[in-house]
Amino acid sequence: MIMDNWFQKFVRIHYGIHLMTSLIIRFGLIGYSIYHDKVYTIPYTDVDYRVFTDASRYVLLGESPYERHTYRYSPLLAIALIPNLKICFIFGKILFSVIDILVALLIRKILIYNIEEYSEFSKTKYLSIEGTEKSINDSKNVRSNHNLKKIKLSLVHDDTLNFIANISIIAWLYNPLTIAIATRGNCDSIAGLLVLTTIFCIQCKKKYFLGGLFHGLAIHFRLYPIFYSLTLFMFLSNYSYYVHPAAVKITSKKTVCKQNEEKRTIFKKKYLMYLIPNRNQISLVLGCLMSLVLSIGFFYYLYGFKFIYETYLYHFVRHDTRHNFSLYFYLQYLTAFIKNVPFWQNILMTLPQLVLIVVISVRYGLDKISFNFGIVIQTIVMVTYNTVLTSQYFVWIMVVLPLCIWQIKMSIISAGSCILVWFVAQGAWLFPAFLLEFKGQNTFIYVWLQGVAFFCANIAILGRLIMNHKPHDFKILKKY
Amino acid sequence: MINVYYLSAIFFLYISSNVYASNNGCLSFDVLLTQNIENQGFHRELKWLLEVIRPDTSTLIKNECSFAVELDMPPSVFVNPDELADLQRLGILKTFIGEFVDIELTEHEATNHTVYIFIETDDFSKVSLTLPFHARYQRSQISGGYGKAVLNKPRLLVRCLQKKEKLCEKFSTEAPCDFRGDEKCQWFDIKYKSLLEVNEMLVPVGDLDHYPLVSIVTLSIGCMGCIYILSLFSVFSKKPI
């Protein structure tokens, strides 16, 4: 109870103070990194940070940043980090830390907008649904009225909103992983910022062309946001909808059977209609194409084919056989030098994630309130099924996860056990990996087995998230 | 009297032999190099103990002699240029790598590269050096086990700036003058005595016998995960009626 109180008090601190504190923590660690790198042989700073800086040096000399071996990012990054050489070596780290703060601000904005918009929707459309329900059953009506009261009570309250928003930004700002990523000099938070800006433009500002521009830029920068394209496209569809909270309450109890009958068909001809674009969708696609073509064209003109190869093609042709968390690592290593790998192997490796990504895109893209949740689980699928998986990729999830924490209704115990399972699965992988890498024992098969276990843990957690995803249940909001 | 004659004769012989040696301009080397590979696994350290027994340090300093170790790394191992740059920055080890090193390649895609380690010290009687290096992944093979990575014997190079005494060695070779590697200098490749040479290490290799099991389980688990998530979608549906 005391812990609970402390936590509540901590969360209720003004978000500006949270931002400042986390910035100070980051600056403190950047200061420490300078000391650490001077004293210890194993540096605190990420190897990639030196790669970026070296690439900046080439840019400064008027050469291609791809002259630096293993530089596989957008030239924009090398250009942005030129002050590393001109002003101070830690400029980039400070930039990444500030970007972390911007990400937190965006998370807050998007979240508050989402909740307010949805509560607004619940109020306006409620009466009509209530009316239809009334004619069917009087007892239901009583329950519905009760719901209306609850929603009004809980959502108009600014305090509640602030509380939820603060929890979400805390999950980002004080996350050890994100702190480490920024202060060690990893650029992944920039991609996160671009993804969130895209969502912000489309959801909150309704600026679809601008959103498209940012989306194109995000793809140019880090390629992985390309998988969000269909979700964004569906979000702007004429067929997208809001589910009324009251409607969900009633249907979930009474008409489950009816719904299930409807669900049995996987594909309907109607779905093809989703692909016919409307004006908003066209401006999104145009914006995206424009920034993609411009940025890629410009840098292709400057740096030639090597830019295309290192930034984009490499991710498709890469054969990183060194051990990593991925389910597919051992299979890839075993078959890396075999010439006649059966073609179905590659199909079976890519098909499951493609199917999942498309299904999630359509299903959650159309459901306006679940859109952000869709982005999150899509990211989890992408990371889980990736053929190369290191802990750096978890940041992709961390960036978007805070957007939908409020929609996941889980008890503290089950949420805690999910987190525990995730860490235990990683730790269990680390043991055979340590024996392999540092003790030289042949533990490939065990590393693989733990990879399988980690994959199962990820899928199980993903399943829990989907099961406990209840955006229409406002009860939890009332609690605070 | 005879004793005195004897002693002086010995003394004379001693002096003359010394004079003879230096007059001949021949600075010969007697060096002992002890090599060891430390750590296990993919990340190893080469430990060298270099003992220059003859000539003594003062002669070396007088002649401004410097030593370098040249090591040719076979495809199965590599040194990481970034790591060596770190050591250089910290003033621990001065090195130069002759070729471009691709740290991501596997053994049979990679090529050799040469590392020069420049020894800077005031005391040549005992110099210890540590060079971190890494094993590359090797092609997986039937029945797995371990692959071998055999290190080449290092060459010991010496170069003296002041030519007060000539070197006895005749085999000269070209190598970078210092860790910057901008210029090439004439170095002498000297013979040395080596001790307890460990030059071989084992690297774990993937087992192709696992292939059927691994491919079936991996691919089916991947598909099952997909089916499980899809099944959840149909059970936990939130579409409006």
Side-chain angles (χ1 to χ4, degrees):
Chain A
M1 262 294 132
I2 297 164
M3 278 289 285
D4 209 32
N5 254 334
W6 271 95
F7 179 68
Q8 293 238 356
K9 265 189 191 161
F10 174 69
V11 174
R12 281 187 199 285
I13 298 171
H14 190 260
Y15 75 94
I17 296 172
H18 283 304
L19 294 181
M20 281 310 292
T21 319
S22 55
L23 194 62
I24 289 166
I25 292 174
R26 281 167 171 78
F27 284 167
L29 277 170
I30 292 171
Y32 169 75
S33 76
I34 298 172
Y35 164 79
H36 184 111
D37 290 352
K38 275 206 181 109
V39 175
Y40 298 99
T41 35
I42 296 172
Y44 178 85
T45 305
D46 197 81
V47 185
D48 275 354
Y49 192 67
R50 189 174 314 115
V51 176
F52 304 155
T53 312
D54 288 347
S56 303
R57 192 168 291 123
Y58 282 112
V59 171
L60 205 58
L61 294 172
E63 290 172 52
S64 158
Y66 299 98
E67 294 287 313
R68 176 61 166 95
H69 180 54
T70 72
Y71 183 78
R72 304 221 163 79
Y73 301 86
S74 158
L76 285 174
L77 182 67
I79 294 166
L81 293 186
I82 282 177
N84 268 1
L85 303 162
K86 286 281 169 188
I87 302 171
C88 181
F89 181 66
I90 56 164
F91 170 83
K93 293 182 179 189
I94 294 173
L95 179 75
F96 299 150
S97 303
V98 172
I99 281 171
D100 272 6
I101 303 299
L102 293 179
V103 164
L105 278 171
L106 272 176
I107 289 172
R108 192 185 143 79
K109 286 255 184 221
I110 295 170
L111 197 80
I112 289 180
Y113 181 86
N114 274 339
I115 298 177
E116 278 182 347
E117 195 189 46
Y118 192 50
S119 76
E120 210 49 43
F121 165 80
S122 318
K123 270 184 275 175
T124 51
K125 298 262 178 79
Y126 189 77
L127 285 172
S128 62
I129 289 180
E130 194 189 12
T132 53
E133 292 296 330
K134 199 175 186 177
S135 57
I136 301 165
N137 197 331
D138 270 349
S139 62
K140 260 184 208 166
N141 195 19
V142 178
R143 204 191 303 148
S144 308
N145 259 332
H146 188 58
N147 283 336
L148 179 64
K149 254 189 193 168
K150 252 185 215 164
I151 292 158
K152 265 195 171 166
L153 266 178
S154 57
L155 283 174
V156 175
H157 217 322
D158 267 0
D159 228 28
T160 316
L161 256 185
N162 268 326
F163 189 81
I164 298 164
N166 276 4
I167 286 190
S168 302
I169 63 168
I170 282 169
W172 166 254
L173 286 175
Y174 298 117
N175 189 328
L177 190 71
T178 60
I179 294 177
I181 291 274
T183 54
R184 292 188 66 214
N186 221 300
C187 73
D188 274 294
S189 55
I190 297 185
L193 179 76
L194 290 171
V195 168
L196 287 179
T197 316
T198 311
I199 295 175
F200 180 71
C201 288
I202 290 172
Q203 261 186 359
C204 312
K205 295 286 163 199
K206 317 279 182 215
K207 297 263 177 8
Y208 307 119
F209 185 73
L210 192 66
L213 286 180
F214 275 111
H215 186 55
L217 196 63
I219 295 171
H220 160 72
F221 198 81
R222 205 68 177 91
L223 198 63
Y224 84 92
I226 200 167
F227 290 109
Y228 299 144
S229 305
L230 187 61
T231 324
L232 293 169
F233 185 79
M234 284 297 157
F235 180 72
L236 300 180
S237 162
N238 293 338
Y239 295 90
S240 64
Y241 54 82
Y242 267 128
V243 183
H244 199 280
V248 172
K249 286 250 155 162
I250 295 154
T251 55
S252 61
K253 282 183 184 149
K254 287 276 169 188
T255 50
V256 173
C257 303
K258 192 182 154 202
Q259 261 200 326
N260 274 358
E261 267 167 42
E262 227 182 296
K263 277 270 112 16
R264 283 290 144 85
T265 46
I266 294 168
F267 185 79
K268 287 181 203 153
K269 267 186 195 155
K270 195 182 93 183
Y271 292 170
L272 284 179
M273 299 288 286
Y274 294 171
L275 291 174
I276 298 168
N278 60 24
R279 256 191 79 199
N280 296 341
Q281 286 171 318
I282 289 172
S283 53
L284 174 81
V285 172
L286 282 181
C288 176
L289 284 179
M290 201 173 118
S291 65
L292 252 187
V293 168
L294 278 182
S295 56
I296 293 180
F298 179 66
F299 288 121
Y300 179 72
Y301 168 73
L302 280 184
Y303 303 125
F305 181 70
K306 200 161 183 203
F307 152 68
I308 305 270
Y309 180 81
E310 294 286 347
T311 322
Y312 305 110
L313 298 182
Y314 171 80
H315 297 281
F316 296 104
V317 298
R318 85 192 269 174
H319 281 292
D320 200 346
T321 47
R322 283 171 293 180
H323 61 286
N324 58 69
F325 286 117
S326 173
L327 171 68
Y328 299 109
F329 127 77
Y330 196 32
L331 184 60
Q332 277 188 307
Y333 171 40
L334 286 179
T335 55
F337 314 107
I338 297 175
K339 287 208 175 74
N340 47 355
V341 179
F343 70 97
W344 47 262
Q345 182 183 306
N346 288 327
I347 292 177
L348 283 178
M349 265 166 69
T350 45
L351 200 64
Q353 67 165 326
L354 269 184
V355 167
L356 277 178
I357 283 173
V358 170
V359 170
I360 292 170
S361 299
V362 176
R363 190 186 151 84
Y364 288 94
L366 289 174
D367 183 352
K368 287 202 172 196
I369 193 67
S370 302
F371 168 78
N372 289 335
F373 181 75
I375 293 277
V376 172
I377 58 173
Q378 216 175 353
T379 318
I380 296 177
V381 165
M382 222 152 60
V383 170
T384 308
Y385 275 97
N386 210 346
T387 48
V388 177
L389 178 56
T390 57
S391 50
Q392 187 189 329
Y393 292 86
F394 299 141
V395 176
W396 298 357
I397 302 172
M398 301 298 171
V399 170
V400 284
L401 187 65
L403 292 179
C404 68
I405 289 179
W406 67 280
Q407 298 182 342
I408 297 158
K409 309 287 149 34
M410 251 194 226
S411 68
I412 303 231
I413 294 169
S414 56
S417 53
C418 274
I419 294 169
L420 190 73
V421 163
W422 194 67
F423 278 109
V424 167
Q426 273 187 71
W429 179 90
L430 284 175
F431 181 63
F434 171 80
L435 290 181
L436 173 70
E437 190 166 354
F438 294 99
K439 294 288 162 202
Q441 295 178 21
N442 195 334
T443 53
F444 279 114
I445 190 86
Y446 303 105
V447 173
W448 168 71
L449 275 174
Q450 294 298 350
V452 171
F454 185 56
F455 174 85
C456 293
N458 275 323
I459 291 290
I461 292 168
L462 179 60
R464 307 288 311 171
L465 288 181
I466 293 167
M467 282 187 240
N468 294 303
H469 174 237
K470 289 165 187 146
H472 320 293
D473 180 4
F474 284 103
K475 244 188 276 172
I476 197 142
L477 300 187
K478 209 194 148 203
K479 241 169 55 181
Y480 303 108
Chain B
M1 197 60 199
I2 289 168
N3 274 351
V4 171
Y5 176 73
Y6 229 62
L7 274 173
S8 57
I10 288 169
F11 183 72
F12 178 75
L13 271 174
Y14 177 73
I15 295 287
S16 64
S17 73
N18 260 11
V19 168
Y20 177 74
S22 56
N23 273 358
N24 223 16
C26 197
L27 200 62
S28 72
F29 287 87
D30 184 5
V31 182
L32 182 68
L33 187 75
T34 317
Q35 177 179 286
N36 225 333
I37 299 179
E38 295 209 342
N39 297 350
Q40 291 155 311
F42 284 88
H43 312 289
R44 307 268 184 142
E45 277 179 345
L46 252 178
K47 293 250 178 187
W48 286 312
L49 183 68
L50 181 74
E51 290 165 277
V52 184
I53 299 155
R54 197 161 49 93
D56 56 7
T57 301
S58 60
T59 317
L60 288 171
I61 290 174
K62 199 172 70 194
N63 286 293
E64 291 182 34
C65 293
S66 55
F67 289 87
V69 179
E70 182 194 307
L71 181 62
D72 184 44
M73 303 298 265
S76 52
V77 291
F78 68 97
V79 289
N80 187 340
D82 291 320
E83 195 179 13
L84 294 190
D86 265 334
L87 293 175
Q88 194 134 293
R89 191 170 44 80
L90 294 168
I92 296 171
L93 201 66
K94 295 260 188 281
T95 49
F96 176 76
I97 306 170
E99 294 85 12
F100 165 73
V101 186
D102 191 334
I103 58 169
E104 289 169 324
L105 296 180
T106 51
E107 184 208 14
H108 71 281
E109 299 164 308
T111 49
N112 290 31
H113 55 274
T114 317
V115 199
Y116 299 93
I117 301 109
F118 299 96
I119 301 164
E120 288 184 349
T121 179
D122 298 331
D123 180 18
F124 284 99
S125 60
K126 254 194 178 120
V127 187
S128 65
L129 295 168
T130 307
L131 178 77
F133 72 102
H134 310 269
R136 289 187 194 274
Y137 262 64
Q138 298 191 5
R139 199 200 299 242
S140 47
Q141 61 192 29
I142 289 167
S143 79
Y146 296 86
K148 248 186 209 170
V150 184
L151 287 175
N152 296 321
K153 199 178 169 200
R155 290 210 296 174
L156 188 63
L157 306 178
V158 70
R159 181 166 79 99
C160 297
L161 290 178
Q162 292 295 326
K163 302 258 165 62
K164 285 181 181 153
E165 288 153 285
K166 267 191 187 170
L167 297 166
C168 296
E169 302 295 332
K170 290 199 175 63
F171 299 106
S172 76
T173 177
E174 276 214 329
C177 299
D178 55 17
F179 65 91
R180 280 178 288 272
D182 302 332
E183 295 166 69
K184 293 250 170 172
C185 292
Q186 283 282 325
W187 291 80
F188 287 92
D189 180 4
I190 56 173
K191 288 196 186 90
Y192 60 89
K193 283 180 272 180
S194 51
L195 202 74
L196 274 176
E197 216 157 278
V198 185
N199 66 341
E200 167 180 302
M201 53 190 254
L202 295 176
V203 182
V205 173
D207 188 348
L208 276 178
D209 293 339
H210 292 152
Y211 177 60
L213 174 77
V214 169
S215 68
I216 291 168
V217 174
T218 302
L219 296 175
S220 56
I221 287 269
C223 293
M224 271 151 60
C226 173
I227 292 164
Y228 169 67
I229 297 296
L230 289 178
S231 75
L232 285 182
F233 287 154
S234 66
V235 175
F236 293 85
S237 172
K238 286 178 206 78
K239 271 201 167 181
I241 42 169

